[in-house]
Structures are given as structure tokens and as C-alpha cells.
Amino acid sequence: MKKRTKFLASLLIFPMIFSLIGCSGGQTSEETGEPSGATEQEAGSEMSDAEEPSGTLTFLSWQNETVMQPILDGFNELYPDVKVDLIYAPPTQDYIEKFQIMYSTGDLPDVFVTAAENKSDVLDNDIALDISYLPAFDRLSQKNKDTYSKDGKIYAFAPDAWIAGIFYNKRILEENGISVPTNREEYLASMETLKANGVQPWAFCEGNLYDPIQGYVATETIEKNSEYDAMVNAGELTYKDGWETPVELWKTDYLDKGYINEDALGLTADQTLEMFAFEECAYIVGATWSVATIDELNPDLEYGMLPWFGTEDGNAWMTGATGVGWSINADAKNMPAAKAFVEYLSSDEALSIFQEQTGGLLAMEGIDFEIHPTIQEGYSYLLDGKFYLPAVEWKYSDALGNELLVGTQEILAGNMEPEQLVENMDNKRIELDAEQ
């Protein structure tokens, strides 16, 4: 059987993305003497007449039937002899548990979803087929391709991504004589002006206190070393190496100036959206999914989107992550249908339907779709791959996310210094490594 020992050991302990919204086994080649499914793409994706898709295709989906049915209908028009058996498990925890159970019992469907939470299991255990041959990858952003890749091969087709950054009130800035900031110096100056004029610059909540830190990690660390997280996971670098300066910048720029204060500990994310919609503050953390709520609360509000600015001009990133991807089971029971289905999912027709159904931001060139004007201001960062979410890269997302959440609250309360938070993160990683 495939490499399941490590996988089964973590069956009930799996990482969950800690972000501002808190995303059948068979014989190995050694046993059969034949090439493993993970490498058989070297022969190409062409199917012979004997491989014409037919029969039942099983599909473990992250999206429900309402979302996927129009896509299934389009596939059925092309392949009327294939019946798709959609098995839906809602994200995130329910899906991951369903995936783990089905894999461990040898019942993993022909096509399934790979997400940040099961990516390491999929890649480390050779669960998915190499689908690098898909033509659509030629038009997909490099960041999306890299997310589910290993050793130069791609194991999931993930067409979209989400971004988050700084939403700003255009009227408030204009009335206070502030031009839209284009760098960190202008951004910090804008908050000083707002505070001096009696305007509340920011509304944070207890769940997103650390978002500016994530921004600084991107601009000060990831910008300079894209392999930083991989090197930490391998024990070659520490969180002190890449996080201490960002945490100190966060304290200096936000806490010491009073832009983040203990009022945030009593607010929810929904309350900050309301404050922003009703123009009680100039800035909030906003994401692709925030605009619907804001527009419903105040349809007349004019607002835009800024990135997190780095200490050097021209260096700016969004928070964000690649969406989930579709993978082919390397031991699919109906391989011809599985290949045909994923090829259809990566087509312009299917992706246009998928975008309409989900409202996601496609990271694909050549497909037109409507983008909210506010999100449009940040869309170029998505296409350029200038978005980052630490939890996607962390080996121990839950545990490190908790250290970050608790630590930022302790720093805010005056009970901890930045270096202690970073030391706690390193100690937690070392502790969990020792348990493996």
C-alpha cells in the first residue's frame, strides 16, 4: 500500500488555516512492477479509444451540488456516458475528516479536492496524479501553480484565490486632505492626520489584531526569501529570523500610536464591518468576501483597497491564499473519466461557470469576469502572486496560529514583549517536531 503510516498517525490531528476568517489507496509501483500513477503523465494525457470515458465517476467535493450542478451539466453534455457521483463534505473540518477517512479505508473517490489543510498529506503520500500536462496551467498564475506542486510537478488545479488588505473610506480621506497612500510613510502619516482631526483611523477586532504582522512578514521576509517558510519547516531557520522585526514594527506602528488598543478585544469582525460601513472609522481589514456585507449595510459607501506596505518603497503585499484545487486520485477506479473531468474543470467554459457560482477571483489570464470595484484595486497583486498567508505555509497551523492570537493579545495588554511571542512560536514548533 502507499505510504500511510505517517498519514494515519495524524488522522485526528490536522492543521486548520488560522486566518482572518477564524480553507482509495492501491498498490505501489514496487508491488506491481509498473509505473506509479503519480508519474504516468509522462505518457501524456491523450486517451485511446479503449479509454473513452464511461461509467461512474466518484467526486469528493468541497462545494455543494447547488454550486457544482451547472458544471456537472456541462460535463455531461460532453460525456453523456459518464455518471458523476458527487459526494459533498462542507469545508473545512468536515471535508478534511471525510477525506482522511475515505483515504484510510481505501475508498477515496476518483477526483477530490486538495486544500491547504490536506496538502501535505496528498503530496507526501503520493495520493494524487501529476496533472502538469493540463494546457490551462500555461495561463494560471505561478503562485497558484506552486501552491500544490512538489519537485516540479503539479498535483491539483486551483483556479482562484482570495485576497485581503486594507479597506479605506474615500470620503473620509478626502475630507481630511489625505491623498490615497502609496507607501508606508504616507500611510502612517494619514493615520496621524486622522487621529489629530478626531477621526478614528482603524477598527480592529480580537481576531485580526495580527493581520498587519502578516503583512510585514510578507514585505520584510518573504519578499527577500520566498523559501523562508520551507526553511523554517526544515529546521534551517527560525521564526525569530523572520518574525521578530515584523512584530516589532506592528507594535511601533499600531500599538504605540494607539491605533490598536484594548477596545479591539471587545469587537467582532462583523462589528468592525458595521463601523466601517457607517463611516465610524477610516480603515479596516477587508477581504474579497467583505464587500457583500458592506454594500448591504451602506450601498452608497465609496471605498477602496490598499495592500500592506513594506518599509521600502514599491514593496507591498496582500494577505491571501490560493483556493482549493481539484486532484485526480493516483489510484482512481475510473481513470479515463477522472482525467476527462479535471480537463473539463480546467476549461474556460467550466471556469466561467465556477466563477459565476462562487464569486471567486480567477487567477487565470484570458477569462473575463466581473470584479467588485474595491477588489479590483487589489486584483493585480493576486495576478502577480503578491499575496501571503502564513498558516498555509506553516507545518503546525493550529498550534502556531493560537500562539500568534494569544501572543498579540498579551502584547496589547502589556503582558508580553514581541521577542517573547516569537520565542513561543519557535518553542512550539520544536515541541511539535519532537512529537513526530
Side-chain angles (χ1 to χ4, degrees), residues 108-402:
L108 187 66
D110 300 316
V111 176
F112 60 89
V113 166
T114 298
E117 294 85 353
N118 67 339
K119 179 177 77 169
S120 60
D121 290 326
V122 171
L123 299 185
D124 294 344
N125 292 281
D126 301 328
I127 296 175
L129 201 68
D130 171 24
I131 56 173
S132 307
Y133 65 88
L134 289 174
F137 283 124
D138 292 339
R139 296 187 289 126
L140 188 66
S141 78
Q142 191 63 44
K143 184 72 170 276
N144 282 54
K145 288 187 285 189
D146 291 344
T147 298
Y148 300 114
S149 296
K150 183 179 181 180
D151 299 329
K153 297 177 180 179
I154 308 173
Y155 295 95
F157 181 79
D160 63 359
W162 61 266
I163 53 173
I166 304 169
F167 280 6
Y168 66 94
N169 183 302
K170 294 184 177 182
R171 184 190 65 80
I172 290 178
L173 294 192
E174 183 178 353
E175 289 185 354
N176 285 272
I178 300 170
S179 299
V180 177
T182 61
N183 56 40
R184 176 171 173 262
E185 182 180 1
E186 293 173 359
Y187 167 62
L188 295 179
S190 76
M191 291 191 286
E192 292 180 6
T193 298
L194 291 168
K195 185 176 181 180
N197 292 348
V199 178
Q200 181 171 334
W202 263 95
F204 283 94
C205 67
E206 63 177 358
N208 63 23
L209 294 178
Y210 52 82
D211 274 52
I213 300 177
Q214 296 183 149
Y216 278 134
V217 172
T219 61
E220 310 307 303
T221 301
I222 304 303
E223 174 74 21
K224 300 171 184 175
N225 180 9
S226 62
E227 298 299 316
Y228 167 76
D229 284 302
M231 295 176 74
V232 173
N233 291 339
E236 299 170 7
L237 290 175
T238 67
Y239 288 117
K240 178 180 175 62
D241 295 323
W243 279 72
E244 188 164 57
T245 295
V247 176
E248 290 173 347
L249 286 169
W250 167 76
K251 183 176 183 297
T252 300
D253 291 349
Y254 291 88
L255 270 62
D256 293 351
K257 303 288 181 62
Y259 306 139
I260 297 180
N261 55 49
E262 293 195 55
D263 291 345
L265 300 179
L267 293 175
T268 65
D270 286 343
Q271 288 173 319
T272 63
L273 289 177
E274 291 175 0
M275 292 175 65
F276 184 75
F278 298 133
E279 303 190 274
E280 297 173 15
C281 62
Y283 296 119
I284 61 163
V285 175
T288 49
W289 54 83
S290 306
V291 295
T293 299
I294 294 172
D295 290 350
E296 182 178 1
L297 290 169
N298 186 354
D300 298 323
L301 186 69
E302 294 186 6
Y303 60 106
M305 188 177 200
L306 295 173
W308 301 105
F309 295 110
T311 55
E312 297 181 4
D313 284 358
N315 181 11
W317 286 62
M318 292 285 182
T319 303
T322 300
V324 300
W326 296 298
S327 295
I328 297 175
N329 183 351
D331 296 310
K333 294 180 174 65
N334 192 341
M335 185 63 75
K339 289 182 179 179
F341 187 52
V342 172
E343 286 172 5
Y344 177 71
L345 289 173
S346 67
S347 69
D348 285 9
E349 175 182 293
L351 291 175
S352 294
I353 297 172
F354 181 73
Q355 195 284 323
E356 290 175 5
Q357 292 292 96
T358 64
L361 293 175
L362 295 180
M364 291 278 295
E365 295 179 355
I367 300 179
D368 294 328
F369 60 96
E370 185 175 346
I371 303 177
H372 190 282
T374 295
I375 303 302
Q376 182 70 57
E377 295 185 20
Y379 186 54
S380 64
Y381 291 90
L382 184 149
L383 293 178
D384 292 339
K386 303 279 281 189
F387 57 90
Y388 173 72
L389 185 69
V392 173
E393 310 298 336
W394 284 341
K395 190 189 302 185
Y396 309 111
S397 298
D398 268 358
L400 291 171
N402 186 63

Side-chain angles (χ1 to χ4, degrees), residues 40 47 54 57 85 87 193 220 235 239 302 314 344 383 403:
E40 72 179 286
M47 294 179 291
S54 63
L57 170 75
D85 179 10
I87 304 163
T193 298
E220 310 307 303
Y239 288 117
E302 294 186 6
Y344 177 71
L383 293 178
E403 291 291 343

